[in-house]
Amino acid sequence: MSGEDDDATNAAADGGTDHPADSPIAEHARPAGGDAPETGLAGPTPEERPHPSGRRDEHGVRKEPDDGGEATRRATVSALVEDEPGVLARAAGLFRRRQFNIESLTVGPTTVEGHSRITLVVEETEAGIDQAKKQLAKLTPVIAVGELSDDAVAAELVLLKVRGHEPDKVHAITSMYDGETLDAGPRTITVQITGDENLIDDAIDAFDQFGIIEIARTGQTALERGDSPTTPGEEPGHSAGSTDDDEFTNYDD
Amino acid sequence: MSEPATPDAASPEEGDDEGRTDRAEQPEQTDEEAAAAREDAATRAPGSGANAVVAALEAAGVETAFGVQGGAIMPVYDALSESSVHHITMAHEQGAVHAADAYGIVRGDPGVCMATSGPGATNLVTGIADASMDSDAMLALTGQVPSDMVGSDAFQETDTVGVTAPITKHNYFASDSDEVGRTVGEAFALANTGRPGPTLVDLPKDVSFGETDRPVGEPTAPERAVPDEEADEAQVEAAARAIETAERPLCLFGGGVIKGDATEQVRAFAREFGIPVVTTMPGIGSFPEDDDLCLSWAGMHGTGYANMAITHTDCLIAVGTRFDDRLTGGVDTFAPEAEVVHVDIDPAEISKNVHADYPVVGDAATVLDQLDAAIGYGDAPDTEAWREQCAEWREEYPMDYAIDPDEPVKPQFVVEAFDAATDDDAYVTTGVGQHQMWAAQYWTYREPRTFVSSHGLGTMGYGLPAAVGARVAADDDREVICFEGDGSFLMTIQELSVAVRENLDITVVVLNNEYIGMVRQWQDAFFEGNHMASEYDWMPEFDTLAEAFGAKGFRIDEYDDVEAVVEEALAYDGPSVVDAHIDPEENVYPMVASGAANGQFALAEDQL
Ligand SMILES: Cc1ncc(C[n+]2csc(CCOP(=O)(O)OP(=O)(O)O)c2C)c(N)n1
């Protein structure tokens, strides 16, 4: 602030007391009146200011002015977690809270005691998938997070209960999908089909002709093919049936 | 200007002040004594789960805890009576959690708060969420009904772990007396590891009562939670090249700079390369606001010049910030021409809100040293023209206000008067509202950890309990000033009783406009001036109320009162409340409307 302002400030602040003329009190105060507004601040208005022409998209990525919205894709994410109470709730809560679009979520034990694997299918933009993985990795019980490649092995199980009027036809279709009949009665037949998601969608379409009464799908679970670990750095444990240590020798290569 | 010396402003060491806290009365421990005490706590057989909890606090070097008693936490309190940990009983659990939060901010170590199950635990929730949003290290201990009653809707049962899961860095349900001490130690260490945050341990009563002789050990965070401090060399090199070629580089320092104790490094960095600096609100104090390079803070109520600089920079060097929407306005218009270098310890912050062209993951202090080394001296950007431009903006958009001796006192004047009368290292705590913004705008911060405020959550009532925590944490020769609004103050005013009981030297300045002013400002701007539920003309006389609590009350009605009241209130050795009746119509400017472009800040209401 300039020197003139100081005098006026002090006159106002003093109200005639013995306040020293060079008091540092209220260095930004100026007397009411003059050019500047009584309320608000002085300076060029928004229209008078220079404006940059650039823009960002909703993820804060700089873009060309006529760029459209971003495409989404489906990703299968695998998280290796400590098998402690509440870990699934934490993962699910995280996805709900951050509004990630989850298609399916499965969980089950692994070969290592005390570890579980959570498999998630999410439909998000590239930035959203990246965030989903990073946020998941931040949870304390999460050991490692990986995104599965396109040729990963993935499967789902579905139970279908259909009307039992045409048992032979139902049986034929069940065989066609390498399924199994779990329960057959005069009124209903329940079958189990396992396979990748497309196969299951097809099977459901095929059974539709009989009238599907109930359906239970597990959601997709998946593993990386061959020697590649499903989550980075994942160390295999030894399941009861695995006695041959050599099987895993090259696992980390 | 130094604090006026008065005969009764004696230091507690002289022991003439009976009300002073016990902590101050205890003889100072040497470092070796403190280390020995920590080791003893880590290695002795605790006897019970509750003793193990307390031993874990001692092993972690905890000096003070804030809390409120109750059924399920009673065993832990009982164990605490034999402990070196000083407990400060607060009037409300919300007071305890904010006090612990502020204590942690000032000390740079996690603050500790305690509450019983059910309502005790739920009363902590606001403050835990607050700490979580601001990445403040904190440990909360809650009592829980006995394990075999969990899930039965027993008396005072709440699923505390479930309720607090989304607002803690991690939380624990203690299920074993042998493990509980280690768990508390781990929770404490985890709170302070990597990106800090609040942790919680829920303690069922039977686990606290249960026998154990398992020593608690040193507090250690899980290995996976300890991030690398050093950033990837390739990331650093790429960022360095981007900075070298920038024409209008700008540093943006966030709260992470302060949490990461990186102020020395960021200051050296900006000065070495002559790069102008803006901070976020949580980053206030990371860079001295009276430095020529400093444009103060950017965002909704940041300075016009900071918002102009952030709008026009071509290279934003952001350190320890999460790009909150109060900072960015609409992301589509945020620093739209800038390549963004983002330094953060938490990889999940990178490209969360604003895409980082140059992500650099690591500890702020370490990374700034790395960056500094990677930028060749001859290659440093030439920032002279850009600095001149920033200086012009500073002239064009001055932060000032008009005063008229016959009109009500302007709040900015009161803030500046207290600033002028205190040292650079005084602590300021605030409530939430207009007063918070004036305290941020018109106080010149020069040191880290001196501005203690509720940023991300914006919790009204934060100021007074935070002042209690800051006072207990701070050295006795540093002032603690709390700016509160009338509405915000009334939300946690009961903690004045604690300040009186502990004889804490705090000056609360209520910027009293008889409105919940920030709401009134928005109603005037966006709701045709319909003051629905925002007129608070039923406020008590805060100076008189202060006296009823046993504190000292002062009142400011006109400019003539200011100087004398400032002097007397600061000189008073104990809690005092200044009821400053300010211009009720005064508004906070500049203002960026929610979701608007930073460069479109309004200087007056008709520009919104
Ligand atoms: C716990 C809580 N409730 C409501 C709000 C919404 N809110 C934000 S600012 C504000 C007004 C604060 O009024 P006052 O404390 O009198 O301060 P002033 O704005 O007048 O300085 C309100 C109600 C909030 N931030 N926190």
Side-chain angles (χ1 to χ4, degrees), chain B residues 194 228-231 236 253-270 286 318-320 343-346 360-374 449:
Chain B
D228 286 344
E229 303 210 326
E230 214 165 277
V236 172
F253 295 148
V257 169
I258 296 174
K259 318 266 169 212
D261 286 325
T263 49
E264 209 180 290
Q265 284 81 357
V266 299
R267 290 173 182 201
F269 179 85
S286 58
V319 186
V343 177
D344 209 291
I345 189 95
D346 180 356
V360 193
V361 180
D363 166 67
T366 314
V367 170
L368 265 285
D369 281 342
Q370 286 179 278
L371 265 181
D372 188 89
R449 305 185 186 279

Side-chain angles (χ1 to χ4, degrees), chain B residues 102-432:
Chain B
Y103 181 95
I105 292 170
V106 167
R107 282 286 174 103
D109 269 332
V112 177
C113 60
M114 308 172 51
T116 194
S117 64
T122 56
N123 276 348
L124 292 180
V125 166
T126 301
I128 296 173
D130 192 294
S132 173
M133 290 287 267
D134 289 350
S135 307
D136 293 335
M138 187 170 79
L139 170 64
L141 300 174
T142 48
Q144 184 53 278
V145 301
S147 307
D148 59 1
M149 293 172 82
V150 166
S152 70
D153 296 335
F155 177 64
Q156 295 197 327
E157 185 194 353
T158 295
D159 173 11
T160 304
V161 164
V163 168
T164 59
I167 52 169
T168 47
K169 187 169 168 184
H170 188 53
N171 62 16
Y172 301 79
F173 182 86
S175 51
D176 182 345
S177 307
D178 280 340
E179 285 298 322
V180 65
R182 287 184 178 272
T183 303
V184 169
E186 177 176 311
F188 183 91
L190 181 63
N192 218 13
T193 301
R195 178 186 185 168
T199 57
L200 178 144
V201 186
D202 203 26
L203 304 161
K205 204 168 179 178
D206 55 316
V207 172
S208 297
F209 269 135
E211 284 180 16
T212 179
D213 274 335
R214 170 105 52 104
V216 299
E218 305 238 313
T220 32
E223 213 179 301
R224 274 199 311 281
V226 184
D228 286 344
E229 303 210 326
E230 214 165 277
D232 178 74
E233 227 12 84
Q235 288 185 338
V236 172
E237 286 297 327
R241 299 293 88 79
I243 296 167
E244 283 165 3
T245 51
E247 286 173 9
R248 304 184 302 279
L250 182 69
C251 290
L252 171 67
F253 295 148
V257 169
I258 296 174
K259 318 266 169 212
D261 286 325
T263 49
E264 209 180 290
Q265 284 81 357
V266 299
R267 290 173 182 201
F269 179 85
R271 285 173 181 151
E272 177 168 352
F273 301 114
I275 302 175
V277 173
V278 302
T279 73
T280 66
M281 223 174 91
I284 285 176
S286 58
F287 203 84
E289 294 189 319
D290 56 349
D291 190 298
D292 278 348
L293 281 176
C294 192
L295 303 169
S296 292
W297 50 284
M300 183 173 276
H301 291 299
T303 63
Y305 32 98
N307 281 318
M308 288 305 278
I310 217 160
T311 302
H312 292 276
T313 174
D314 65 351
C315 179
L316 188 65
I317 306 153
V319 186
T321 171
R322 63 192 175 90
F323 293 105
D324 180 84
D325 55 283
R326 292 278 144 137
L327 167 74
T328 60
V331 267
D332 57 331
T333 51
F334 178 71
E337 296 182 341
E339 297 213 284
V340 174
V341 174
H342 190 182
V343 177
D344 209 291
I345 189 95
D346 180 356
E349 280 310 315
I350 306 285
S351 300
K352 186 182 80 180
N353 295 333
V354 170
H355 177 76
D357 303 278
Y358 300 96
V360 193
V361 180
D363 166 67
T366 314
V367 170
L368 265 285
D369 281 342
Q370 286 179 278
L371 265 181
D372 188 89
I375 297 178
Y377 285 92
D379 299 330
D382 177 7
T383 60
E384 202 181 318
W386 169 236
R387 272 183 285 143
E388 270 168 27
Q389 173 63 74
C390 291
E392 266 173 45
W393 283 326
R394 198 199 288 272
E395 292 292 311
E396 273 182 318
Y397 302 100
M399 292 295 293
D400 63 9
Y401 53 94
I403 61 173
D404 180 335
D406 300 326
E407 294 287 320
V409 177
K410 293 287 186 186
Q412 301 93 324
F413 188 90
V414 178
V415 172
E416 288 198 303
F418 274 97
D419 186 14
T422 48
D423 290 342
D424 287 353
D425 62 5
Y427 292 97
V428 173
T429 75
T430 76
V432 167

Side-chain angles (χ1 to χ4, degrees), chain B residues 94 126 431-436 438 457-461 484-491 511-520 536 582:
Chain B
Q94 189 183 353
T126 301
V432 167
Q434 292 181 313
H435 62 280
Q436 176 189 29
W438 290 316
L457 199 66
T459 308
M460 283 170 74
E484 271 288 6
D486 43 337
S488 187
F489 187 39
L490 210 55
M491 287 199 174
L511 298 178
N512 187 346
N513 50 12
E514 299 198 358
Y515 277 115
I516 49 169
M518 189 59 98
V519 170
R520 199 262 306 135
Y536 275 32
I582 56 158

